[in-house]
Amino acid sequence: MDGGMKDNDLSGIVSADRAHVWHHLTQHKPLETTDPKIIVEGKGMRVWDQTGREHLDAVSGAVWTVNVGYGRERIANAVRDQLLQLNYFAGSMGSIPGARFAERLIDKMPGLSRVYYANSGSEANEKAFKMVRQIAHKRFGGKKHKILYRDRDYHGTTLGALSAGGQQERNAQYGPFAPGFIEVPHCLEYRAADQGWGDLSGEAYGQRAADAIEEVILREGPETVGALCLEPVTAGGGVIPPPPGYWERVQEICRKYEVLLHIDEVVCGVGRTGTWFGYQHYGVKPDMVTMAKGVASGYAAIACLVTTEEVFDMFKSDADDPLDYFRDISTFGGCTAGPAAALENMAIIEEEDLLGNCQAMGARLMENLHGLMEKHRVIGDVRGAGLFCGAELVADRASKEPVSEALVRAVTGDCMAQGVIIGATNRSVPGYNNTLCFAPALIATPDDIDQITDAVDGALSRVFG
Ligand SMILES: Cc1ncc(COP(=O)(O)O)c(C=O)c1O
């Protein structure tokens, strides 16, 4: 292992884990007969497991989080110093790192001005939904309360966020859900033929997919629709960048019907796609933006909901009404470790030009994946933005029939055996957990990218012949 392991009783750790830890998103039955994997240490792009085995992490902590890589001493030091100065005070008061990070963040988000701190992506989205509901009550007699979300998008694990969830396998068996959340169609051009709009592509498809949102608004009644919540690039639902012209038309529709545009940057935010935020590729002006994973690269738990001054102002009032402000708090939204880590994280991205590296390495990853697509017929489509890419596996290119999940697992398992951790869409859209996912840290080198795609090349050859 790379660094100094402090706890050498790893067999004890494995049995304690097996006896007492309930892992996230995991069927535990197979772990009765095999060892759970314990990730023990991380440095740069690499992690080590309990057997001492090294893995190149092509998914930044499995869920696209560790944007600046593992083992960043300056973040750890900044958090340590901050904890000793002041670890916590409730978010109803200010803090030094909270104010500093808000100022730095707003600098990257022209048109937005207010930062509301939270602990997770789900929670930041819940807060945005609460704001929409309260605005509906304050200004529209409660009527303009509906929140639109998109098929295949995901906004979190809590019941409110699942109510806005477009991935049926995440939602199944957890209903009933909150009322007033309405689905709009996805914008995956590769699967356009299934949407019944004829044979459209490029800008024509982008327009049509956005027009479908307008149709839902008109069907529901524009006076009932308060907000539209979208991922800039759908992440877990299949790595879906928007088709051309989509976002421009979405913006127009939101303005036309006074629908607040809430962009969920939990995955794409803070550099993942090669710009600070995913929406900045498309020139849109959101009213609300939520972010979490890359904000502090997992060095501390922090999420933010960022709004315009206009949204903020709707919650200010001189009236003597005790309910007339945003009555929301999360205890740990007052932890100072989050913004302290986020400040260093942002400084690292700037000083090391990780946005530039993300663009360059993203282009290399995409080029390599296109090369693999020429060689392996099982790859039906590759798509992505920056260092966030997907390769959709199909049994037959003409029919686009997805390969089975067992085969997808065989590919990810083969890569793991080669020491490269890649991802795949996981319990998302029924029948469509068939997209391999790549989201290496923004520090990736050309050799890292080539090692990732070489592993996939080998795995596809072995699994599909
Ligand atoms: C787009 C998106 N939004 C929200 C969330 C939820 O974030 P969290 O797991 O921090 O609650 C996720 C998690 O993967 C996500 O991908």
Side-chain angles (χ1 to χ4, degrees), residues 86-99 101 115-120 123-124 127 300-305 328-340:
L86 179 77
N87 64 310
Y88 179 78
F89 207 90
S92 46
M93 306 282 176
S95 76
I96 292 175
F101 181 63
V115 180
Y116 196 92
Y117 286 113
N119 311 297
S120 70
E123 197 195 24
K127 291 177 190 308
I302 177 173
C304 305
L305 159 59
D328 175 275
I329 182 168
S330 296
T331 299
F332 291 141
C335 285
T336 55

Side-chain angles (χ1 to χ4, degrees), residues 114 340 400:
R114 292 284 165 176
K400 299 184 180 175

Side-chain angles (χ1 to χ4, degrees), residues 377-418:
R377 288 197 58 76
V378 70
I379 301 182
D381 193 30
V382 297
R383 45 190 189 247
L387 276 174
F388 191 47
C389 292
E392 181 158 353
L393 303 185
V394 291
D396 170 51
R397 278 196 184 173
S399 70
K400 299 184 180 175
E401 182 197 335
V403 301
S404 72
E405 282 188 36
L407 289 173
V408 176
R409 271 197 300 273
V411 174
T412 55
D414 188 292
C415 288
M416 179 75 91
Q418 297 177 70

Side-chain angles (χ1 to χ4, degrees), residues 64 120-123 125 154-157 231 235 264 266-267 292-293:
W64 329 310
S120 70
S122 309
E123 197 195 24
N125 286 329
Y154 175 75
H155 301 296
T157 190
E231 293 183 62
D264 177 343
V266 168
V267 174
K293 296 174 188 279

Side-chain angles (χ1 to χ4, degrees), residues 293-309:
K293 296 174 188 279
V295 175
S297 288
Y299 284 84
I302 177 173
C304 305
L305 159 59
V306 182
T307 77
T308 59
E309 200 67 8

Side-chain angles (χ1 to χ4, degrees), residues 5 16 21 83 92 405:
M5 274 276 313
V21 179
L83 292 183
S92 46
E405 282 188 36

